[in-house]
PDB file of all heavy atoms in Angstrom:
ATOM      1  N   LEU A  53     -24.807   8.299  -2.335  1.00 94.00           N
ATOM      2  CA  LEU A  53     -23.956   9.456  -2.058  1.00 94.00           C
ATOM      3  C   LEU A  53     -24.852  10.625  -1.683  1.00 94.00           C
ATOM      4  O   LEU A  53     -25.856  10.877  -2.356  1.00 94.00           O
ATOM      5  CB  LEU A  53     -23.113   9.800  -3.287  1.00 94.00           C
ATOM      6  CG  LEU A  53     -22.148  11.005  -3.217  1.00 94.00           C
ATOM      7  CD1 LEU A  53     -20.996  10.802  -4.201  1.00 94.00           C
ATOM      8  CD2 LEU A  53     -22.840  12.328  -3.513  1.00 94.00           C
ATOM      9  N   ILE A  54     -24.501  11.320  -0.619  1.00 95.00           N
ATOM     10  CA  ILE A  54     -25.252  12.509  -0.222  1.00 95.00           C
ATOM     11  C   ILE A  54     -24.276  13.676  -0.135  1.00 95.00           C
ATOM     12  O   ILE A  54     -23.194  13.550   0.436  1.00 95.00           O
ATOM     13  CB  ILE A  54     -26.013  12.280   1.104  1.00 95.00           C
ATOM     14  CG1 ILE A  54     -26.904  13.481   1.420  1.00 95.00           C
ATOM     15  CG2 ILE A  54     -25.080  11.928   2.259  1.00 95.00           C
ATOM     16  CD1 ILE A  54     -27.943  13.189   2.501  1.00 95.00           C
ATOM     17  N   ARG A  55     -24.618  14.780  -0.752  1.00 93.00           N
ATOM     18  CA  ARG A  55     -23.734  15.942  -0.776  1.00 93.00           C
ATOM     19  C   ARG A  55     -23.907  16.768   0.490  1.00 93.00           C
ATOM     20  O   ARG A  55     -24.933  16.689   1.166  1.00 93.00           O
ATOM     21  CB  ARG A  55     -24.016  16.792  -2.007  1.00 93.00           C
ATOM     22  CG  ARG A  55     -23.913  16.021  -3.308  1.00 93.00           C
ATOM     23  CD  ARG A  55     -23.926  16.898  -4.528  1.00 93.00           C
ATOM     24  NE  ARG A  55     -24.182  16.141  -5.745  1.00 93.00           N
ATOM     25  CZ  ARG A  55     -23.331  15.298  -6.308  1.00 93.00           C
ATOM     26  NH1 ARG A  55     -22.166  15.097  -5.762  1.00 93.00           N
ATOM     27  NH2 ARG A  55     -23.644  14.658  -7.405  1.00 93.00           N
ATOM     28  N   SER A  56     -22.949  17.600   0.776  1.00 92.00           N
ATOM     29  CA  SER A  56     -22.963  18.353   2.029  1.00 92.00           C
ATOM     30  C   SER A  56     -24.120  19.345   2.111  1.00 92.00           C
ATOM     31  O   SER A  56     -24.505  19.746   3.204  1.00 92.00           O
ATOM     32  CB  SER A  56     -21.631  19.092   2.215  1.00 92.00           C
ATOM     33  OG  SER A  56     -21.411  19.980   1.141  1.00 92.00           O
ATOM     34  N   ASN A  57     -24.693  19.720   0.980  1.00 94.00           N
ATOM     35  CA  ASN A  57     -25.825  20.657   1.008  1.00 94.00           C
ATOM     36  C   ASN A  57     -27.178  19.937   0.969  1.00 94.00           C
ATOM     37  O   ASN A  57     -28.222  20.565   0.859  1.00 94.00           O
ATOM     38  CB  ASN A  57     -25.735  21.655  -0.142  1.00 94.00           C
ATOM     39  CG  ASN A  57     -25.797  20.983  -1.501  1.00 94.00           C
ATOM     40  OD1 ASN A  57     -25.754  19.759  -1.600  1.00 94.00           O
ATOM     41  ND2 ASN A  57     -25.892  21.773  -2.549  1.00 94.00           N
ATOM     42  N   GLU A  58     -27.151  18.607   1.073  1.00 96.00           N
ATOM     43  CA  GLU A  58     -28.378  17.815   1.126  1.00 96.00           C
ATOM     44  C   GLU A  58     -28.594  17.320   2.539  1.00 96.00           C
ATOM     45  O   GLU A  58     -27.640  17.084   3.286  1.00 96.00           O
ATOM     46  CB  GLU A  58     -28.290  16.632   0.154  1.00 96.00           C
ATOM     47  CG  GLU A  58     -28.166  17.078  -1.303  1.00 96.00           C
ATOM     48  CD  GLU A  58     -27.988  15.893  -2.249  1.00 96.00           C
ATOM     49  OE1 GLU A  58     -27.126  15.022  -1.971  1.00 96.00           O
ATOM     50  OE2 GLU A  58     -28.714  15.847  -3.264  1.00 96.00           O
ATOM     51  N   ARG A  59     -29.846  17.106   2.903  1.00 97.00           N
ATOM     52  CA  ARG A  59     -30.163  16.637   4.246  1.00 97.00           C
ATOM     53  C   ARG A  59     -30.677  15.208   4.256  1.00 97.00           C
ATOM     54  O   ARG A  59     -30.537  14.492   5.249  1.00 97.00           O
ATOM     55  CB  ARG A  59     -31.210  17.556   4.887  1.00 97.00           C
ATOM     56  CG  ARG A  59     -30.667  18.927   5.174  1.00 97.00           C
ATOM     57  CD  ARG A  59     -29.556  18.867   6.223  1.00 97.00           C
ATOM     58  NE  ARG A  59     -28.801  20.113   6.288  1.00 97.00           N
ATOM     59  CZ  ARG A  59     -27.616  20.275   5.716  1.00 97.00           C
ATOM     60  NH1 ARG A  59     -27.037  19.278   5.057  1.00 97.00           N
ATOM     61  NH2 ARG A  59     -27.000  21.427   5.813  1.00 97.00           N
ATOM     62  N   GLU A  60     -31.296  14.795   3.171  1.00 98.00           N
ATOM     63  CA  GLU A  60     -31.871  13.457   3.122  1.00 98.00           C
ATOM     64  C   GLU A  60     -31.879  12.972   1.674  1.00 98.00           C
ATOM     65  O   GLU A  60     -32.043  13.760   0.739  1.00 98.00           O
ATOM     66  CB  GLU A  60     -33.301  13.489   3.672  1.00 98.00           C
ATOM     67  CG  GLU A  60     -33.937  12.141   3.869  1.00 98.00           C
ATOM     68  CD  GLU A  60     -35.256  12.228   4.620  1.00 98.00           C
ATOM     69  OE1 GLU A  60     -35.288  12.883   5.684  1.00 98.00           O
ATOM     70  OE2 GLU A  60     -36.248  11.650   4.138  1.00 98.00           O
ATOM     71  N   LYS A  61     -31.690  11.652   1.541  1.00 97.00           N
ATOM     72  CA  LYS A  61     -31.718  11.070   0.208  1.00 97.00           C
ATOM     73  C   LYS A  61     -32.276   9.655   0.298  1.00 97.00           C
ATOM     74  O   LYS A  61     -32.032   8.940   1.276  1.00 97.00           O
ATOM     75  CB  LYS A  61     -30.310  11.048  -0.386  1.00 97.00           C
ATOM     76  CG  LYS A  61     -30.286  11.043  -1.897  1.00 97.00           C
ATOM     77  CD  LYS A  61     -28.933  11.489  -2.396  1.00 97.00           C
ATOM     78  CE  LYS A  61     -28.942  11.559  -3.901  1.00 97.00           C
ATOM     79  NZ  LYS A  61     -27.631  11.988  -4.447  1.00 97.00           N
ATOM     80  N   HIS A  62     -33.018   9.248  -0.727  1.00 97.00           N
ATOM     81  CA  HIS A  62     -33.630   7.922  -0.740  1.00 97.00           C
ATOM     82  C   HIS A  62     -33.166   7.158  -1.970  1.00 97.00           C
ATOM     83  O   HIS A  62     -32.934   7.736  -3.033  1.00 97.00           O
ATOM     84  CB  HIS A  62     -35.161   8.041  -0.783  1.00 97.00           C
ATOM     85  CG  HIS A  62     -35.742   8.695   0.412  1.00 97.00           C
ATOM     86  ND1 HIS A  62     -36.399   7.999   1.399  1.00 97.00           N
ATOM     87  CD2 HIS A  62     -35.764   9.994   0.795  1.00 97.00           C
ATOM     88  CE1 HIS A  62     -36.813   8.848   2.329  1.00 97.00           C
ATOM     89  NE2 HIS A  62     -36.437  10.057   1.993  1.00 97.00           N
ATOM     90  N   SER A  63     -33.058   5.837  -1.805  1.00 96.00           N
ATOM     91  CA  SER A  63     -32.803   4.959  -2.935  1.00 96.00           C
ATOM     92  C   SER A  63     -33.409   3.607  -2.603  1.00 96.00           C
ATOM     93  O   SER A  63     -32.856   2.849  -1.805  1.00 96.00           O
ATOM     94  CB  SER A  63     -31.309   4.824  -3.196  1.00 96.00           C
ATOM     95  OG  SER A  63     -31.063   3.908  -4.248  1.00 96.00           O
ATOM     96  N   GLY A  64     -34.560   3.307  -3.184  1.00 97.00           N
ATOM     97  CA  GLY A  64     -35.236   2.048  -2.878  1.00 97.00           C
ATOM     98  C   GLY A  64     -35.579   1.948  -1.405  1.00 97.00           C
ATOM     99  O   GLY A  64     -36.236   2.820  -0.845  1.00 97.00           O
ATOM    100  N   ARG A  65     -35.071   0.907  -0.737  1.00 98.00           N
ATOM    101  CA  ARG A  65     -35.319   0.725   0.705  1.00 98.00           C
ATOM    102  C   ARG A  65     -34.307   1.460   1.582  1.00 98.00           C
ATOM    103  O   ARG A  65     -34.315   1.315   2.801  1.00 98.00           O
ATOM    104  CB  ARG A  65     -35.291  -0.772   1.027  1.00 98.00           C
ATOM    105  CG  ARG A  65     -36.437  -1.574   0.403  1.00 98.00           C
ATOM    106  CD  ARG A  65     -36.416  -3.036   0.858  1.00 98.00           C
ATOM    107  NE  ARG A  65     -35.233  -3.728   0.392  1.00 98.00           N
ATOM    108  CZ  ARG A  65     -34.284  -4.204   1.188  1.00 98.00           C
ATOM    109  NH1 ARG A  65     -34.370  -4.059   2.496  1.00 98.00           N
ATOM    110  NH2 ARG A  65     -33.250  -4.838   0.683  1.00 98.00           N
ATOM    111  N   LEU A  66     -33.435   2.228   0.970  1.00 98.00           N
ATOM    112  CA  LEU A  66     -32.409   2.952   1.716  1.00 98.00           C
ATOM    113  C   LEU A  66     -32.806   4.406   1.898  1.00 98.00           C
ATOM    114  O   LEU A  66     -33.311   5.051   0.982  1.00 98.00           O
ATOM    115  CB  LEU A  66     -31.075   2.905   0.961  1.00 98.00           C
ATOM    116  CG  LEU A  66     -30.511   1.549   0.590  1.00 98.00           C
ATOM    117  CD1 LEU A  66     -29.185   1.718  -0.144  1.00 98.00           C
ATOM    118  CD2 LEU A  66     -30.336   0.670   1.809  1.00 98.00           C
ATOM    119  N   ARG A  67     -32.540   4.895   3.114  1.00 98.00           N
ATOM    120  CA  ARG A  67     -32.737   6.311   3.383  1.00 98.00           C
ATOM    121  C   ARG A  67     -31.509   6.809   4.133  1.00 98.00           C
ATOM    122  O   ARG A  67     -31.135   6.240   5.154  1.00 98.00           O
ATOM    123  CB  ARG A  67     -33.981   6.539   4.224  1.00 98.00           C
ATOM    124  CG  ARG A  67     -34.180   7.984   4.667  1.00 98.00           C
ATOM    125  CD  ARG A  67     -35.427   8.115   5.527  1.00 98.00           C
ATOM    126  NE  ARG A  67     -35.437   9.380   6.257  1.00 98.00           N
ATOM    127  CZ  ARG A  67     -35.434   9.495   7.583  1.00 98.00           C
ATOM    128  NH1 ARG A  67     -35.448   8.423   8.341  1.00 98.00           N
ATOM    129  NH2 ARG A  67     -35.437  10.679   8.150  1.00 98.00           N
ATOM    130  N   VAL A  68     -30.890   7.842   3.609  1.00 98.00           N
ATOM    131  CA  VAL A  68     -29.695   8.414   4.232  1.00 98.00           C
ATOM    132  C   VAL A  68     -30.004   9.841   4.661  1.00 98.00           C
ATOM    133  O   VAL A  68     -30.627  10.598   3.917  1.00 98.00           O
ATOM    134  CB  VAL A  68     -28.506   8.409   3.249  1.00 98.00           C
ATOM    135  CG1 VAL A  68     -27.348   9.231   3.806  1.00 98.00           C
ATOM    136  CG2 VAL A  68     -28.059   6.988   2.977  1.00 98.00           C
ATOM    137  N   THR A  69     -29.576  10.180   5.861  1.00 98.00           N
ATOM    138  CA  THR A  69     -29.669  11.558   6.324  1.00 98.00           C
ATOM    139  C   THR A  69     -28.271  12.079   6.619  1.00 98.00           C
ATOM    140  O   THR A  69     -27.352  11.313   6.913  1.00 98.00           O
ATOM    141  CB  THR A  69     -30.536  11.673   7.575  1.00 98.00           C
ATOM    142  OG1 THR A  69     -29.941  10.896   8.626  1.00 98.00           O
ATOM    143  CG2 THR A  69     -31.951  11.178   7.305  1.00 98.00           C
ATOM    144  N   LEU A  70     -28.132  13.382   6.544  1.00 98.00           N
ATOM    145  CA  LEU A  70     -26.854  14.029   6.830  1.00 98.00           C
ATOM    146  C   LEU A  70     -27.110  15.271   7.658  1.00 98.00           C
ATOM    147  O   LEU A  70     -27.926  16.119   7.281  1.00 98.00           O
ATOM    148  CB  LEU A  70     -26.130  14.392   5.535  1.00 98.00           C
ATOM    149  CG  LEU A  70     -24.787  15.115   5.678  1.00 98.00           C
ATOM    150  CD1 LEU A  70     -23.762  14.213   6.370  1.00 98.00           C
ATOM    151  CD2 LEU A  70     -24.271  15.567   4.317  1.00 98.00           C
ATOM    152  N   ASP A  71     -26.423  15.372   8.771  1.00 97.00           N
ATOM    153  CA  ASP A  71     -26.494  16.549   9.628  1.00 97.00           C
ATOM    154  C   ASP A  71     -25.082  17.123   9.751  1.00 97.00           C
ATOM    155  O   ASP A  71     -24.282  16.637  10.542  1.00 97.00           O
ATOM    156  CB  ASP A  71     -27.055  16.171  11.005  1.00 97.00           C
ATOM    157  CG  ASP A  71     -27.323  17.378  11.885  1.00 97.00           C
ATOM    158  OD1 ASP A  71     -26.666  18.426  11.676  1.00 97.00           O
ATOM    159  OD2 ASP A  71     -28.159  17.282  12.790  1.00 97.00           O
ATOM    160  N   THR A  72     -24.781  18.127   8.951  1.00 95.00           N
ATOM    161  CA  THR A  72     -23.416  18.668   8.944  1.00 95.00           C
ATOM    162  C   THR A  72     -23.110  19.441  10.225  1.00 95.00           C
ATOM    163  O   THR A  72     -21.942  19.553  10.595  1.00 95.00           O
ATOM    164  CB  THR A  72     -23.201  19.581   7.725  1.00 95.00           C
ATOM    165  OG1 THR A  72     -24.243  20.558   7.690  1.00 95.00           O
ATOM    166  CG2 THR A  72     -23.213  18.773   6.438  1.00 95.00           C
ATOM    167  N   SER A  73     -24.133  19.937  10.909  1.00 95.00           N
ATOM    168  CA  SER A  73     -23.865  20.657  12.168  1.00 95.00           C
ATOM    169  C   SER A  73     -23.399  19.695  13.255  1.00 95.00           C
ATOM    170  O   SER A  73     -22.598  20.064  14.110  1.00 95.00           O
ATOM    171  CB  SER A  73     -25.119  21.393  12.629  1.00 95.00           C
ATOM    172  OG  SER A  73     -26.140  20.489  12.984  1.00 95.00           O
ATOM    173  N   LYS A  74     -23.887  18.459  13.201  1.00 96.00           N
ATOM    174  CA  LYS A  74     -23.467  17.432  14.161  1.00 96.00           C
ATOM    175  C   LYS A  74     -22.392  16.532  13.581  1.00 96.00           C
ATOM    176  O   LYS A  74     -21.922  15.612  14.258  1.00 96.00           O
ATOM    177  CB  LYS A  74     -24.670  16.590  14.583  1.00 96.00           C
ATOM    178  CG  LYS A  74     -25.725  17.365  15.352  1.00 96.00           C
ATOM    179  CD  LYS A  74     -26.867  16.456  15.758  1.00 96.00           C
ATOM    180  CE  LYS A  74     -27.916  17.237  16.551  1.00 96.00           C
ATOM    181  NZ  LYS A  74     -29.084  16.391  16.913  1.00 96.00           N
ATOM    182  N   LYS A  75     -22.030  16.759  12.338  1.00 95.00           N
ATOM    183  CA  LYS A  75     -21.049  15.914  11.653  1.00 95.00           C
ATOM    184  C   LYS A  75     -21.443  14.441  11.783  1.00 95.00           C
ATOM    185  O   LYS A  75     -20.665  13.597  12.255  1.00 95.00           O
ATOM    186  CB  LYS A  75     -19.645  16.147  12.193  1.00 95.00           C
ATOM    187  CG  LYS A  75     -19.074  17.522  11.830  1.00 95.00           C
ATOM    188  CD  LYS A  75     -17.606  17.638  12.252  1.00 95.00           C
ATOM    189  CE  LYS A  75     -16.951  18.862  11.646  1.00 95.00           C
ATOM    190  NZ  LYS A  75     -17.597  20.126  12.024  1.00 95.00           N
TER     191      LYS A  75
END
Side-chain angles (χ1 to χ4, degrees):
Chain A
L53 179 154
I54 186 165
R55 304 191 195 289
S56 59
N57 62 352
E58 297 176 311
R59 292 295 166 259
E60 189 171 310
K61 205 161 183 180
H62 297 255
S63 177
R65 293 185 295 115
L66 305 180
R67 174 181 164 242
V68 170
T69 61
L70 178 64
D71 187 335
T72 52
S73 66
K74 295 181 179 177
K75 291 187 168 60

